[in-house]
Amino acid sequence: MFAVVLKEDGYSGQATGPRIENAADWLAAAELPMPKAGAGQVVVKLRAASVNPSDLHFIKGEYGQPRVKGAAAGFEGCGDVVEAGAGAEGLAGKRVAFVAAAAGAWAEFVLCEAMNCIPLRADISDDDGAAQIVNPLTAMAMVDIAAQAKAALVISAAASQLGKLMIGLAQDLGLETIALVRRAEAIAPLEALGATTVLDVTSAAFADDFAKASRALKPRIFLDAVADQTSEQVFANMPNGARWVVYGNLGANPPMLTQIGQLIFMGKQIEGFWLTNWMRTTPAKDQMRVVGEVQARFADGRWRTDVAARIGLRDVIGGLAGATQVSDGKVIIEP
Amino acid sequence: MFAVVLKEDGYSGQATGPRIENAADWLAAAELPMPKAGAGQVVVKLRAASVNPSDLHFIKGEYGQPRVKGAAAGFEGCGDVVEAGAGAEGLAGKRVAFVAAAAGAWAEFVLCEAMNCIPLRADISDDDGAAQIVNPLTAMAMVDIAAQAKAALVISAAASQLGKLMIGLAQDLGLETIALVRRAEAIAPLEALGATTVLDVTSAAFADDFAKASRALKPRIFLDAVADQTSEQVFANMPNGARWVVYGNLGANPPMLTQIGQLIFMGKQIEGFWLTNWMRTTPAKDQMRVVGEVQARFADGRWRTDVAARIGLRDVIGGLAGATQVSDGKVIIEP
């Protein structure tokens, strides 16, 4: 079977961000043997895979798990179960959304753990099915942090697909949001989605505007995909008890902590969020409830996957870098 | 009565650390009216006040509460209750350790809340009584973080009075410690106190030595009074789940966060500790139990206050800067 495979093993030891200039630096086309489902596993014939920032971090060797040279790349997609191992017979023939925990989604056939597959309702499109797990569960789990804290939240890179999911979810839960974007054109669409305040971090007035919004809305949770010096300034202008929850590292330069005293006297805190860890530590029944809510949201149109570009599986090497330049929608890979 | 008073109001907006070159920049001698005890308050005739880093931060306007121009400086000391207000009669005539929550200890007579006074056992010296609350309670509360986490701990500025208290306490609790110092001469005394490993951060081998110690002892709590780039490198070399607990800011330059991915993938976290907040949020009976343990430790000699210098109350303006150059003992102010 055809697959897009990793050229390197392990970690790079670098942190250059989820951007690539040429996929051929990291990926190669290959013919691999058909995968074989063991106990508790299934083989999925790919319909569509989605490209997340974590995929780009991973192929470059800067994600939280090591690469295996020659194995297929890609964490997430949807497709049809064509072989089910012992204990996974219930999934046979079903269309499922999946995460391939050790990667492998950018291939004609994908080996998955049955517990990482979610049967899809008929009213969910393949595009939505291909981006059903990583972003939606991350959105649900992270907005829940703000819901538990009963606080307004700040969302950086808010024009991203994940950012848009979080804005809608926060609005449904009655939580106010300060959405941060990098382009003036992104403001109106996010206001239409229900963001309380949308600010362009590249504007000269940003620091003042954010300070004003922070005084008005008192946000105590900052869900941040960027982690640069602007993020640090945002955190520094949040009130007592603020938590800076970093889940991505889009920023090119590491931030300096200019307000150490706020950690001490204002009870502020800096932490991370990783969906893999959430999945390891959240009880299965709570995860299933969240998964059900996610599908209901896609089925009734409250959420949808904005597709920025589509590329064929055989065009990934040549087309991935260009397709991932667009930041406010998903790249879908089709076999 | 004679008092050493603040020359400025409010905050400076700066963070230059707990060092002063000339106390006259921040403090003046003054004659103030005798304080008068209201309900729940007492007036204490000073025996001895201790100088903590927080006192120096405070007089410079970089502590967590605003200065009041013309009011006496100083947070901690011990003395005799010479007037007790309504509800505080039980303290009349007693020798007490105290914290003056809004400052005021560097004066012949100090107005205190009765709830911030601890009657002293006869076997506690005035020196120990003058440093009975801020450092000992901070040590107990912070080492408890490591005890709860059942983890080895890293202690920076470990030759400080507070560092030494924490090393002894950790040893009593069976917790292993990596103590960080800035001078080779400080290594042997801390080993004698029971530190598992003592490392000099100014040594060329420090990075390698720390990495080795971290692999061996797997410390997950870093109690840090410095918060500079060396602190960040220490944190970066700690294992999964490490918590960087900042309680002071001796470092001259703000640290850069070079390992954002560790927050995400390794579940690391950065937070602060402030005794004032601990006192606000910890139930009174738990505080009383801790206070009892503190006195028992000073009474039986497990803890003692190392006095680096003594200055008279009327010599604070001229003598404080010089006396506080010595870093591994307390400066005691006597009326």
Side-chain angles (χ1 to χ4, degrees):
Chain A
M1 68 159 189
F2 181 83
V4 176
V5 303
L6 300 161
K7 288 174 75 169
E8 314 251 5
D9 264 319
Y11 299 104
S12 68
Q14 305 218 290
T16 56
R19 285 167 297 274
I20 54 168
E21 298 200 357
N22 183 359
D25 293 343
W26 315 104
L27 299 173
E31 282 294 326
L32 296 185
M34 268 292 287
K36 182 90 197 102
Q41 295 182 321
V42 296
V43 174
V44 177
K45 182 171 191 295
L46 190 71
R47 283 172 178 258
S50 61
V51 179
N52 291 303
S54 51
D55 288 304
L56 303 184
H57 275 294
F58 177 67
I59 65 177
K60 295 169 78 176
E62 49 192 60
Y63 195 63
Q65 57 202 67
R67 296 170 292 182
V68 177
K69 184 177 166 178
F75 286 120
E76 181 175 27
C78 74
D80 302 297
V81 173
V82 294
E83 190 202 344
E89 296 85 353
L91 289 174
K94 294 228 163 104
R95 189 175 64 121
V96 296
F98 66 82
V99 281
W106 299 355
E108 290 177 288
F109 295 90
V110 186
L111 184 66
C112 299
E113 301 298 317
M115 63 174 286
N116 292 336
C117 294
I118 302 169
L120 286 169
R121 293 164 45 153
D123 49 4
I124 305 276
S125 72
D126 285 347
D127 285 347
D128 285 338
Q132 187 76 189
I133 301 180
V134 174
N135 273 344
L137 289 192
T138 301
M140 300 283 281
M142 289 205 302
V143 172
D144 189 56
I145 296 172
Q148 300 289 333
K150 297 186 173 51
L153 62 162
V154 182
I155 299 172
S156 67
S160 69
Q161 192 59 24
L162 178 54
K164 288 186 281 195
L165 297 181
M166 293 196 287
I167 289 168
L169 190 55
Q171 195 192 28
D172 289 354
L173 294 172
L175 300 169
E176 294 180 303
T177 45
I178 302 176
L180 310 182
V181 298
R182 300 191 62 80
R183 295 172 298 124
E185 314 86 83
I187 294 178
L190 296 193
E191 287 174 342
L193 266 182
T196 314
T197 301
V198 187
L199 300 175
D200 176 359
V201 300
T202 69
S203 145
F206 173 69
D208 287 345
D209 289 348
F210 181 80
K212 203 176 300 173
S214 178
R215 280 193 299 274
L217 300 179
K218 300 185 175 51
R220 281 186 285 113
I221 303 293
F222 177 20
L223 303 176
D224 182 29
V226 183
D228 64 359
Q229 202 61 47
T230 301
S231 296
E232 195 269 351
Q233 287 302 301
V234 162
F235 181 56
N237 278 288
M238 290 172 68
N240 276 332
R243 288 165 62 188
W244 179 5
V245 182
V246 179
Y247 71 90
N249 192 6
L250 296 169
N253 297 309
M256 192 170 273
L257 291 184
T258 64
Q259 303 295 327
I260 291 292
Q262 294 190 350
L263 301 172
I264 304 171
F265 303 127
M266 296 175 71
K268 293 192 178 187
Q269 172 166 321
I270 308 171
E271 61 195 271
F273 178 88
W274 190 25
L275 184 63
T276 302
N277 192 46
W278 182 87
M279 290 176 135
R280 279 183 198 140
T281 57
T282 304
K285 95 176 150 33
D286 292 337
Q287 294 194 33
M288 281 302 109
R289 180 179 49 74
V290 172
V291 161
E293 285 173 27
V294 166
Q295 286 210 42
R297 285 176 174 272
F298 278 106
D300 68 15
R302 278 176 291 169
W303 278 357
R304 69 156 194 275
T305 301
D306 292 335
V307 177
R310 290 175 195 281
I311 48 177
L313 186 57
R314 285 177 166 76
D315 303 322
V316 166
I317 311 289
L320 185 64
T324 53
Q325 299 307 310
V326 180
S327 65
D328 53 359
K330 275 270 157 268
V331 174
I332 297 290
I333 297 173
E334 293 169 321
Chain B
M1 67 158 189
F2 180 83
V4 177
V5 303
L6 301 160
K7 288 175 76 167
E8 315 250 6
D9 264 320
Y11 299 104
S12 68
Q14 305 218 290
T16 57
R19 284 167 297 273
I20 55 168
E21 298 201 357
N22 184 359
D25 293 343
W26 315 102
L27 299 173
E31 282 293 325
L32 297 184
M34 269 291 288
K36 180 90 197 104
Q41 296 181 321
V42 296
V43 174
V44 176
K45 182 171 190 297
L46 190 71
R47 284 172 177 257
S50 61
V51 179
N52 291 302
S54 51
D55 287 304
L56 304 183
H57 275 295
F58 177 67
I59 66 178
K60 295 170 79 176
E62 50 193 57
Y63 195 63
Q65 58 202 66
R67 294 170 294 183
V68 176
K69 185 177 166 176
F75 286 121
E76 182 175 28
C78 74
D80 302 298
V81 174
V82 293
E83 190 202 344
E89 296 85 354
L91 289 173
K94 295 227 163 105
R95 189 175 66 121
V96 296
F98 66 81
V99 282
W106 299 354
E108 290 178 287
F109 295 90
V110 187
L111 184 66
C112 299
E113 301 298 320
M115 62 176 286
N116 293 335
C117 294
I118 301 168
L120 286 169
R121 293 164 48 153
D123 49 4
I124 305 275
S125 70
D126 285 349
D127 285 346
D128 286 338
Q132 186 76 189
I133 301 181
V134 174
N135 273 344
L137 289 192
T138 302
M140 300 282 281
M142 289 204 302
V143 172
D144 188 56
I145 297 172
Q148 299 289 333
K150 297 184 174 50
L153 62 163
V154 182
I155 298 171
S156 67
S160 69
Q161 192 59 24
L162 178 54
K164 289 185 279 194
L165 297 182
M166 293 197 287
I167 288 168
L169 191 53
Q171 194 192 28
D172 288 354
L173 294 172
L175 299 169
E176 294 178 303
T177 44
I178 301 175
L180 309 182
V181 298
R182 301 190 62 80
R183 294 172 297 124
E185 314 86 83
I187 294 178
L190 297 193
E191 286 174 342
L193 267 181
T196 314
T197 301
V198 188
L199 300 174
D200 176 0
V201 300
T202 68
S203 143
F206 173 69
D208 287 344
D209 290 346
F210 182 80
K212 202 177 301 172
S214 178
R215 279 194 300 273
L217 300 179
K218 299 187 175 49
R220 281 187 284 112
I221 303 294
F222 178 20
L223 303 176
D224 182 29
V226 183
D228 64 359
Q229 203 62 46
T230 301
S231 296
E232 196 269 350
Q233 287 302 301
V234 163
F235 181 56
N237 279 288
M238 289 171 68
N240 276 331
R243 289 164 63 188
W244 179 4
V245 182
V246 179
Y247 71 90
N249 192 6
L250 296 169
N253 297 308
M256 191 170 275
L257 290 184
T258 65
Q259 303 294 329
I260 292 293
Q262 295 190 350
L263 301 173
I264 304 171
F265 303 126
M266 295 176 72
K268 292 192 178 187
Q269 174 166 319
I270 309 170
E271 59 196 275
F273 177 88
W274 190 25
L275 183 64
T276 302
N277 192 45
W278 182 87
M279 290 176 134
R280 279 183 197 138
T281 56
T282 303
K285 94 175 149 35
D286 292 337
Q287 294 193 33
M288 280 303 108
R289 181 179 48 76
V290 172
V291 160
E293 286 174 26
V294 166
Q295 288 211 42
R297 284 176 176 273
F298 278 105
D300 67 15
R302 279 176 290 169
W303 278 356
R304 69 158 192 273
T305 301
D306 292 334
V307 177
R310 292 175 194 281
I311 47 177
L313 186 57
R314 284 178 166 76
D315 304 321
V316 166
I317 313 288
L320 186 63
T324 53
Q325 299 307 310
V326 180
S327 64
D328 53 359
K330 275 271 156 268
V331 174
I332 296 288
I333 298 172
E334 294 168 320

